[in-house]
Amino acid sequence: MNDDGSRRSRRRFLTGTAALGATALAGCVTTGLSVSAPNVGDSPVFDSFSVANGVVWADDAARVSATLTEAATTSEKVRELSAITASGSESWAGTVTGGQTSVTMHLPVGTDLTVHAFTSSADPVDAQPLRIEGDSFP
C-alpha cells in the first residue's frame, strides 16, 4: 500500500475509534420526560411545573420551568428559590425579581426534590415536592 493509502486507513481507524469512544462516553439518554408536583394546586407561589427539554443525555439535568403565581413576587415577596434533594443537598438555586412570572431550573432526573421559596430575608414561603421522570436507554 502506498503512503497515501496508509494515511487514509489510519485516518479511518482514528475517526472510527473517536466515534466509538464518544458514543461510549455519552452514556445513556433519557426521553419522555415528565414532572410531577402533587401539591402545586395549594401553592401560593407556584402555578405549575413543566419540562422544558424533551431529552437528557448522560448525567445532564432536565430543564424544568416553574410558572409563578401573580402573588409570588408581590404579596408573597419571593426572591429566592432552591431545589433540595431528599438527602438534603442543594441541587439548584436561583433568584427571582419582582414581577417575574417563570423560572427555569436545571434539576436531576429520577430524584425526589423539594423546591423551596424564600423572601429576601430568607423567610420560607412555600415548599413543593417534585419528581422528574423519564425513560432511560443505555
Side-chain angles (χ1 to χ4, degrees):
M1 187 181 274
N2 67 21
D3 206 19
D4 283 342
S6 292
R7 283 190 193 138
R8 273 183 281 195
S9 181
R10 203 172 312 135
R11 230 179 275 148
R12 282 188 197 127
F13 172 75
L14 292 173
T15 302
T17 302
L20 181 62
T23 303
L25 290 174
C28 65
V29 62
T30 304
T31 62
L33 296 171
S34 64
V35 62
S36 65
N39 302 332
V40 76
D42 299 329
S43 174
V45 174
F46 302 102
D47 263 338
S48 64
F49 293 92
S50 60
V51 177
N53 60 331
V55 176
V56 173
W57 292 94
D59 290 332
D60 284 346
R63 282 189 343 238
V64 175
S65 179
T67 303
L68 306 176
T69 64
E70 288 184 28
T73 62
T74 55
S75 62
E76 297 295 336
K77 298 181 179 22
V78 171
R79 293 296 180 262
E80 296 177 29
L81 300 176
S82 66
I84 308 296
T85 65
S87 65
S89 62
E90 186 173 78
S91 175
W92 177 89
T95 59
V96 182
T97 59
Q100 191 169 344
T101 58
S102 68
V103 176
T104 300
M105 302 174 281
H106 294 83
L107 303 175
V109 176
T111 302
D112 290 322
L113 301 159
T114 303
V115 178
H116 297 269
F118 300 96
T119 65
S120 59
S121 356
D123 295 326
V125 178
D126 192 19
Q128 288 297 311
L130 286 185
R131 185 162 179 94
I132 298 97
E133 295 286 351
D135 301 315
S136 293
F137 301 97

